[in-house]
Amino acid sequence: MALSDLNPVERNEEGIAAVLGILKQRFGERFQTGAAIRGQHAHTTTYIPTQAPDGVAFAETTAEVQEIVRACAAHRVPVIAFGVGSSLEGHTNAPGGGISIDTSRMNRILAVNPQDLDCTVEPGVTREDLNRHLRDTGLFFPIDPGANASLGGMAATRASGTNAVRYGTMRENVLSLTAVMADGETVTTGKRAKKSSAGYDLTRLLVGSEGTLGVITSLTLRLQGIPQAISGGVCPFPSLEAACNTVIATIQMGIPVARIELINALQMRAMKNYSKLDYPESPCLFVEFHGSDAGVAEQAETFGMIAEENGGGPFLWTSVAEERTKLWKARHDAYWSSLTLRPGAKGLSTDVCVPISRLAECVTETEADIAEMGLVAPIVGHAGDGNFHVLVLMDVDNPAEIALAEKFVARLNMRAIAMEGTCTGEHGIGQGKVGFLRRELGHGVDIMRMIKQALDPLNIMNPGKILPAAG
């Protein structure tokens, strides 16, 4: 994607110069303008060009975030919130320059309320940090996007992951949050009650807003009890269609599966090479069950029967923690294992989500597209909620390969939308999928734009993301 294809954001050179001086004087060494650190705060895992901010401020408190935002608002300078930079659609790029607010030092766990199954954290806490802290309480935070993302970033992009089929996404697991809005004022969107009918749902408005409405400075999260027993395993299938049909039947029968991940044959080949898995090189489902000892055994047995009816099996399952850890480590390393399929290439990771009744159709048509275009592009999927990912391996210095990848992604997005799905199940819109939002939501985009203009009239909060250019 060329810079000319992205949402244009005009640079305000005079305002940027003024803010750089203000923040350097205020934050000293906690405000950096070196090229290397600015580049790190705009890096993307797509082929979208890096667009670095003009400075990086390492905030440590909500009050400091307010100071930064107020300085930027006074001089009409963009503000881009930054967690750990693991987002996938150019969310942290600065197309009009501006200031990146790095929240990694806002990493305090403010409160844990075991009886209420919730906690409050600052945005720089990562999911792994939180679960280490919770280990002795018998609780855990279930949302697992694979990367050790910051919880503020996960809320901003409405992340989900392998556990979403049972525990939901960030949308269901953020009870309330505090954010600094475009005028520098803070808003707290709710209390710790498990439900509320008090006014507009500002929590859900900010969860998934990708930093375009405000900078999240604390979150209250729903927690879960660590299951008494966990079992999981791998089940091979003769085709992707058979695997998808097994997923549909499993969900329809109400089996409380915690994870059910789809792996196509090409991705399994990569995992066998990289993670040394000893499974057939065929489409597979990675499955996990949470519950009591008797419950997980019964669920595994029932799943095995469903798989067998669809031509799959044998279902190789275990409750041994070390064996399960190896399996899910391989799943989380799918990106790195995929790179071995084409050494020297880079990966464009894209995702869509469809109703699970259309999953088999969507995935098989996508595989046909990959073959027709001659791409190397393995598929993995959070199959239990109809969400799957394709990693297109390409030479990012070859315009022809970039054009072919863009054509493939466009066809994939439009296929999902035509099947009453979405162009992104969990990666977000950012810059990379701006062109598909109106095709999916129509006039809804205009409503979003009105909300954006009302809350951020100067368009300083992560401009150039989500909303297509007006006109």
Side-chain angles (χ1 to χ4, degrees):
M1 181 178 290
L3 285 175
S4 59
D5 297 325
L6 302 176
N7 256 357
V9 179
E10 186 176 348
R11 283 184 61 87
N12 175 5
E13 299 291 357
E14 184 177 343
I16 289 169
V19 169
L20 291 178
I22 292 169
L23 296 183
K24 186 61 179 178
Q25 183 175 15
R26 169 62 181 84
F27 290 95
E29 291 302 308
R30 287 196 290 125
F31 184 69
Q32 296 289 322
T33 57
I37 199 163
R38 289 190 296 110
Q40 291 167 8
H41 284 73
H43 72 85
T44 71
T45 47
T46 77
Y47 58 91
I48 298 172
T50 293
Q51 298 168 304
D54 294 283
V56 179
F58 291 86
E60 296 181 352
T61 65
T62 297
E64 289 184 350
V65 174
Q66 287 183 283
E67 286 185 68
I68 297 165
V69 171
R70 284 171 176 156
C72 289
H75 296 276
R76 298 196 172 203
V77 170
V79 174
I80 304 96
F82 185 93
V84 297
S86 58
S87 56
L88 294 167
E89 293 290 351
H91 297 88
T92 61
N93 261 349
I99 305 302
S100 174
I101 301 180
D102 186 309
T103 62
S104 61
R105 300 188 186 186
M106 298 179 69
N107 59 0
R108 291 171 285 269
I109 297 172
L110 303 175
V112 177
N113 305 292
Q115 291 179 314
D116 294 319
L117 299 177
D118 68 46
C119 68
T120 300
V121 302
E122 291 185 323
V125 176
T126 68
R127 63 174 187 85
E128 291 182 4
D129 290 339
L130 177 58
N131 280 325
R132 276 191 292 267
H133 183 87
L134 294 171
R135 189 175 297 146
D136 294 337
T137 69
L139 303 174
F140 80 115
F141 182 68
I143 309 305
D144 177 5
N148 187 25
S150 69
L151 291 162
M154 288 170 62
T157 55
R158 201 185 298 129
S160 55
T162 58
N163 281 325
V165 63
R166 177 167 180 141
Y167 299 106
T169 71
M170 288 299 285
R171 181 183 64 188
E172 291 79 33
N173 287 279
V174 178
L175 295 173
S176 68
L177 52 80
T178 298
V180 174
M181 307 304 283
D183 60 359
E185 295 297 319
T186 61
V187 59
T188 299
T189 63
K191 303 296 184 182
R192 289 198 300 116
K194 291 295 186 281
K195 62 181 181 179
S196 172
S197 295
Y200 297 155
D201 193 341
L202 298 180
T203 304
R204 301 299 175 272
L205 177 63
L206 290 174
V207 171
S209 63
E210 302 182 14
T212 62
L213 301 178
V215 178
I216 296 171
T217 57
S218 74
L219 311 91
T220 297
L221 303 170
R222 190 187 306 273
L223 303 177
Q224 301 287 336
I226 296 174
Q228 174 193 347
I230 301 174
S231 73
V234 175
C235 188
F237 289 87
S239 67
L240 274 177
E241 184 176 10
C244 291
N245 287 336
T246 299
V247 172
I248 294 169
T250 300
I251 300 301
Q252 288 176 340
M253 285 190 66
I255 298 174
V257 62
R259 298 177 176 180
I260 185 163
E261 295 288 295
L262 176 68
I263 312 295
N264 80 338
L266 183 60
Q267 182 65 69
M268 181 55 75
R269 181 195 306 169
M271 287 180 170
K272 285 168 67 72
N273 292 339
Y274 185 85
S275 300
K276 310 306 179 186
L277 296 184
D278 187 22
Y279 298 114
E281 194 174 300
S282 66
C284 288
L285 292 176
F286 288 9
V287 189
E288 187 169 275
F289 305 99
H290 295 177
S292 65
D293 289 322
V296 297
E298 180 182 1
Q299 292 159 20
E301 182 180 354
T302 304
F303 172 81
M305 293 169 58
I306 295 171
E308 187 176 359
E309 289 174 0
N310 285 284
F315 177 39
L316 307 172
W317 69 279
T318 180
S319 58
V320 177
E322 291 79 6
E323 295 178 18
R324 289 188 294 100
T325 298
K326 181 180 179 181
L327 178 66
W328 293 108
K329 178 69 163 59
R331 169 62 185 90
H332 288 325
D333 285 344
Y335 176 86
W336 305 109
S337 67
S338 297
L339 297 181
T340 67
L341 296 170
R342 188 180 173 188
K346 292 188 177 179
L348 166 65
S349 181
T350 190
D351 84 310
V352 296
C353 188
V354 296
I356 62 167
S357 62
R358 306 296 298 273
L359 180 62
E361 181 184 2
C362 193
V363 172
T364 53
E365 287 186 14
T366 300
E367 270 209 327
D369 254 8
I370 292 169
E372 179 186 330
M373 295 183 181
L375 298 171
V376 179
I379 295 175
V380 299
H382 310 313
D385 47 21
N387 183 201
F388 68 94
H389 305 256
V390 185
L391 188 74
V392 182
L393 297 169
M394 61 181 182
D395 178 358
V396 296
D397 296 320
N398 185 330
E401 290 200 18
I402 290 177
L404 187 62
E406 284 189 318
K407 179 181 177 181
F408 168 77
V409 171
R411 288 179 60 158
L412 174 61
N413 290 339
M414 294 307 295
R415 178 180 302 116
I417 292 169
M419 292 182 179
E420 299 183 273
T422 174
C423 65
T424 175
E426 60 184 17
H427 290 183
I429 295 295
Q431 293 175 298
K433 297 205 172 186
V434 164
F436 299 96
L437 192 61
R438 184 173 292 280
R439 299 183 186 189
E440 182 173 324
L441 297 178
H443 180 55
V445 173
D446 301 314
I447 304 300
M448 292 181 190
R449 181 173 282 112
M450 285 188 276
I451 294 171
K452 168 74 168 171
Q453 290 172 342
L455 298 180
D456 180 20
L458 300 179
N459 192 29
I460 64 168
M461 305 303 288
N462 208 11
K465 317 298 169 59
I466 299 184
L467 299 175

